[in-house]
Amino acid sequence: MGYPSIYPTGVTIYNKEKAYSGYTIFPSAKGALLIDMNGNEVKLWAGLGGFPNKILPGGYVMGTTGARGGKYAYQDQLDLVQVDWDGHIVWKFDKTELVADPGKEPVYMARQHHDFQREGSTVGYYYPNGEPKTDSGNTLILTHENLYNHDISDKRLIDDKIIEVDWEGNIIWSWRASDHFDELGFDEAAKNALFRNPGLHGEAGGDWMHINNFSTLGENKWYDAGDKRFHPDNIIFDARNSNILGIIEKSTGKIVWRVGPNFNENEATKKLGWIIGQHHLHMIPKGLPGEGDLLVFDNGGEGGYGTPNPASLTGVNNAHRDYSRVLQFNPVTLEITWQYTPLEAGNLLFTDASKFYSSYISSAQRLPNGNTLITEGSDGHLLEVTPDHEIVWEFVNPYFKNFAGTFKSNMIYRAYRVPYEWIPQLEKPVETSIEPIDITKFRVPGASIGEGTGLVTAVDGIDPTKGVPLTGSGNEEDDEERIDFCVASVKKKDLE
C-alpha cells in the first residue's frame, strides 16, 4: 500500500467508554514495555527480550535474557526467565539442550521460541478464573531441535518440540512435530516441494513447520458435550510455514484435529478460505465472549508447500494473499462467527486490502467486554476493535530498530492486555479519552491548510457544488446497483 513517511506514533485513539482498559505489555527495541491506555510508559524492564513477553499477576514479567548468535542459530533464545517488579530473576530455565556450535564453548540453552504457557492459564492472557502461577507450577515451552528425518527431507531440519518443565526445571513431557509427519495431511506435491526445500536457513537447517504458538484448550463446551478431541489438557498449535492448524492429544501425542494444509479439502474448508502464514491460533477461554470458538490472526503473505505456480516456481510458499484476516470460527463446523478483515476496516479488497496486512508475526486477544485486541505486528500497530468493528483504541510503536544501516522496523511480535489489578505496584491511572484526529485537516508545522487557500474557477455548464466521482467510478447518485473501478465492479449491497 502507499505508506507515508510521516505519521503519528503512540496512542492515536482511545474511547474509554467502549475500550477494555488495562495495561498492555509488548516487546520493544528497549525491552519489555508496559503502557497504560494513554500510552504512558509505566514500566520498562530494560534489555529484557520477549518471544513474547507476558505479564503475570503481581507485576511479574516473563521473557529472555538473550538470543543464540551465529550462523547455526535460528530464533533460539538462551533461556526463559520470570522477573519480578524490581528486575530480579526469580525463575529461569535454560536446560533444553547443551549446544556445541563450531568454534564456541558448549552452552546449555532453552532454545525457546515463539511461545510458552505457565500453569494456571491456558492462553497466557487474562480471562475469568485463569491466573498463571507465579511461585510454583509447570511451564510448557516451545523449543527447537535439530535432526534428520528422510521421510521429510534429506536436509538438516529445525524441528519444533514442545516440552513441559516443572518448577525445578525437569523436563517431564515432550512432543516433536517430525514424529507425526504422516498425520499432517501433506499431499504428494507438497511432500515433493518440502523434500527439496524444507524452509532452509543456511547452516541452521530447514524450518519446515515453523510452529509459532501453542496453548492448552482448557475447559470448553465441546468436551463437555462429549467430543474427546477437545479434552482440556490437549494442546492447540499452528504452523506458519505449512499452513497447518492442529490439536495434539496430550496423553498420546497424536494429532486429533487438523485444518490445512490444503484448504480445498472439502466444502467447509473452502468456505473458511485459505489460512496462510497464520499466528496465535487458540481457543477463546471459558468466561470470555465467544468461548469455545477458535481465534487466529490469518496473516496472508505466503506459506505452504504444493504444486508450483507463477508465484511459486518451486512449490515452496505456494499460497499467496496480500492482506490479513482475524478469524473467529467454530472448530466443529468451521463456520466463521466473527472476523476483522480489510472490508471491516473500511477498505475494498481489490484496491486497498493491504491497508490491513501483516505478513508475519501478529496476534489477536479476546477481551472480557467482547472487544478484540489485535497486534498488526509488522508495522507496530495495535488496535482494539468492538464486535461491530469500531476502533476504540489504537497505538503505533514509536521505537524503531535499524538493520544493516538502511532497513528499520518498529515491529511488535505480540501484545497482551491485562487488568489493572494484576499490577498492584501501580496506582490505577487517570483515563483520558483521545479523540481521533481529522486527517483531512491534520498538517505538520509549516504546511498549508490546503482547502480554501487558492483560486476557484467555475467551469461553464458544471454545477460547482456538485461532487466529482472518483476516477472511473461513476456517479454515486445513479440508480445502478454497481460501482465501477478500473479493475473491478462492486455491488453496492456488498458494501453495506
Side-chain angles (χ1 to χ4, degrees), residues 13 65 157 166 230 246 252 317 386 390 392 409 467 472 481 489:
I13 298 172
T65 66
L157 299 177
D166 62 20
F230 303 103
T252 66
N317 293 324
T386 68
E390 178 187 356
V392 293
S409 173
E481 293 300 314
S489 296

Side-chain angles (χ1 to χ4, degrees), residues 161-178:
K161 181 169 70 172
I162 301 172
I163 63 174
E164 183 174 6
V165 303
D166 62 20
W167 187 255
E168 289 72 35
N170 302 302
I171 299 175
I172 60 176
W173 181 87
S174 66
W175 178 92
R176 292 190 309 189
S178 62

Side-chain angles (χ1 to χ4, degrees), residues 116-393:
F116 54 86
Q117 303 293 348
R118 172 61 58 76
E119 183 180 347
S121 173
T122 60
V123 293
Y125 65 71
Y126 172 78
Y127 60 94
N129 302 313
E131 289 196 2
K133 296 183 177 182
T134 60
D135 58 3
S136 63
N138 296 346
T139 306
L140 286 163
I141 307 173
L142 183 57
T143 68
H144 280 145
E145 179 178 325
N146 292 105
L147 51 77
Y148 285 90
N149 184 323
H150 288 268
D151 290 335
I152 301 172
S153 177
D154 59 354
K155 314 295 192 301
R156 184 174 187 253
L157 299 177
I158 307 169
D159 203 12
D160 290 304
K161 181 169 70 172
I162 301 172
I163 63 174
E164 183 174 6
V165 303
D166 62 20
W167 187 255
E168 289 72 35
N170 302 302
I171 299 175
I172 60 176
W173 181 87
S174 66
W175 178 92
R176 292 190 309 189
S178 62
D179 294 336
H180 302 273
F181 181 60
D182 292 338
E183 302 169 33
L184 294 173
F186 292 112
D187 62 20
E188 287 305 309
K191 289 180 180 179
N192 288 337
L194 177 56
F195 191 89
R196 292 190 301 271
N197 180 1
L200 290 171
H201 294 275
E203 289 87 342
D207 185 27
W208 68 287
M209 280 281 280
H210 195 99
I211 293 178
N212 59 45
N213 73 275
F214 74 93
S215 56
T216 52
L217 295 179
E219 296 181 14
N220 63 86
K221 60 185 179 183
W222 314 112
Y223 183 74
D224 292 344
D227 195 330
K228 298 188 185 309
R229 297 176 299 171
F230 303 103
H231 189 286
D233 292 339
N234 288 355
I235 295 172
I236 188 168
F237 72 93
D238 75 60
R240 184 240 174 276
N241 286 1
S242 55
N243 299 341
I244 290 174
L245 298 73
I247 295 176
I248 302 162
E249 187 174 58
K250 181 83 179 296
S251 61
T252 66
K254 293 181 180 178
I255 296 174
V256 294
W257 178 96
R258 175 180 53 79
V259 173
N262 179 8
F263 288 83
N264 288 330
E265 191 171 14
N266 54 55
E267 290 305 313
T269 55
K270 288 178 182 177
K271 189 173 181 180
L272 180 64
W274 277 77
I275 295 177
I276 303 170
Q278 72 288 335
H279 284 73
H280 203 209
L281 171 73
H282 62 278
M283 180 173 282
I284 299 173
K286 190 173 184 178
L288 292 180
E291 63 179 66
D293 281 353
L294 304 186
L295 193 62
V296 64
F297 192 102
D298 173 16
N299 294 71
E302 58 184 24
Y305 306 93
T307 303
N309 58 55
S312 172
L313 299 181
T314 65
V316 177
N317 293 324
N318 75 316
H320 289 253
R321 191 185 66 241
D322 291 330
Y323 63 88
S324 299
R325 308 185 294 170
V326 174
L327 300 179
Q328 176 185 329
F329 64 97
N330 181 309
V332 176
T333 66
L334 305 187
E335 176 190 4
I336 295 174
T337 53
W338 183 84
Q339 64 181 9
Y340 189 82
T341 77
L343 283 174
E344 284 76 27
N347 303 300
L348 294 175
L349 291 182
F350 56 86
T351 60
D352 296 310
S354 61
K355 289 181 179 177
F356 182 66
Y357 184 31
S358 177
S359 63
Y360 65 108
I361 58 176
S362 308
S363 64
Q365 172 188 347
R366 180 52 46 82
L367 298 168
N369 64 353
N371 293 353
T372 303
L373 177 67
I374 298 171
T375 304
E376 189 186 1
S378 64
D379 50 8
H381 185 207
L382 308 180
L383 60 157
E384 179 183 342
V385 301
T386 68
D388 294 327
H389 311 113
E390 178 187 356
I391 297 175
V392 293
W393 184 81

